[in-house]
Amino acid sequence: MEGDDDVYMTGTDSNNEAHELNDMKKRFQEMEAEAAALREMQANVEKEMDPVHDPAAGGSSQLNREEVDSRSVFVGNVDYSCTPEEVHQHFQSCGTVNRVTIRTDKYGQPKGYAYVEFVEVEAVQQALVLNETELHGRQLKVTAKRTNIPGMKQYRPRRSQSFMTNQPRGLFVAPYMYTPYGYGKVPRFRMPMRYNPYF
């Protein structure tokens, strides 16, 4: 009898193990399918976000950006309390305004300038007429929006140092004398506080 019980228990255990094994295989297959779907979604997102790998897409996005910038104007000296609706209303006489963007810093405070995008390219010329008009008591500076080229920074010349102003650019001349106070520092002589007849 004891031997029969052991056989019976072994048969039940093997059924349970086979059932658990099948469950684990199903879960593993589901996890693999999920991982494949996530990899595919990530590849799609990277393809959309990074046009460098696809030169045709990169060129088309640059052309699209240039086309949008040709319909936009830069508005400087915008009052900090000004809302996009007020800027929209100010430029509505020029043409159909598509979007108004007031730039803000990381704390959400306005930076004092905005971009106005129009539907028509002709509206930009009419918007430039509104240069030096007043909004909220401040004179607006309206210019055509320029297109930024990725990877190109504006050139800023280096400031020359005071001791090298009269020297040629490639020549470095060391100071002729070293003082214990450091370069460019002179000791401070103070007048004595009390009268001294022997000084």
Side-chain angles (χ1 to χ4, degrees):
M1 287 279 198
E2 289 180 3
D4 292 339
D5 287 341
D6 287 341
V7 171
Y8 181 73
M9 291 290 284
T10 307
T12 307
D13 286 343
S14 65
N15 286 340
N16 286 341
E17 288 175 6
H19 187 64
E20 286 178 13
L21 188 61
N22 287 336
D23 286 345
M24 288 174 67
K25 284 181 181 177
K26 284 180 187 176
R27 275 187 259 150
F28 183 70
Q29 288 174 350
E30 289 173 2
M31 288 169 56
E32 278 186 344
E34 247 181 74
L38 283 172
R39 279 194 295 270
E40 186 179 338
M41 286 171 49
Q42 186 175 3
N44 290 338
V45 168
E46 285 177 358
K47 198 180 293 182
E48 289 174 8
M49 296 297 287
D50 191 15
V52 174
H53 298 301
D54 187 8
S60 67
S61 69
Q62 181 68 17
L63 289 173
N64 186 26
R65 189 176 303 138
E66 288 176 4
E67 191 266 329
V68 169
D69 288 348
S70 68
R71 296 184 282 119
S72 304
V73 291
F74 169 82
V75 184
N77 201 24
V78 177
D79 187 40
Y80 295 117
S81 64
C82 202
T83 62
E85 290 78 19
E86 291 169 334
V87 177
H88 183 282
Q89 200 171 25
H90 188 76
F91 285 94
Q92 202 161 11
S93 62
C94 304
T96 310
V97 177
N98 187 27
R99 178 173 56 189
V100 175
T101 307
I102 295 180
R103 296 303 308 239
T104 57
D105 61 9
K106 62 182 180 180
Y107 303 109
Q109 301 299 320
K111 289 187 173 182
Y113 63 92
Y115 295 104
V116 180
E117 181 188 330
F118 295 99
V119 176
E120 309 91 8
V121 179
E122 298 80 24
V124 173
Q125 296 303 320
Q126 295 173 0
L128 294 176
V129 177
L130 292 179
N131 188 24
E132 297 184 357
T133 56
E134 284 197 5
L135 180 65
H136 279 253
R138 296 182 76 167
Q139 265 193 343
L140 299 179
K141 304 291 181 195
V142 183
T143 58
K145 186 175 186 290
R146 62 179 174 80
T147 304
N148 288 335
I149 301 169
M152 297 293 286
K153 285 188 175 179
Q154 285 184 332
Y155 173 71
R156 291 183 182 160
R158 291 176 58 186
R159 293 188 340 203
S160 62
Q161 291 152 352
S162 60
F163 66 90
M164 291 182 62
T165 52
N166 295 331
Q167 302 296 330
R169 183 168 172 81
L171 183 64
F172 175 76
V173 177
Y176 65 91
M177 181 180 115
Y178 293 99
T179 63
Y181 303 101
Y183 180 71
K185 308 245 180 172
V186 291
R188 226 173 128 190
F189 295 107
R190 295 184 177 166
M191 292 295 290
M193 296 296 285
R194 292 167 37 181
Y195 174 73
N196 188 354
Y198 304 106
F199 187 75

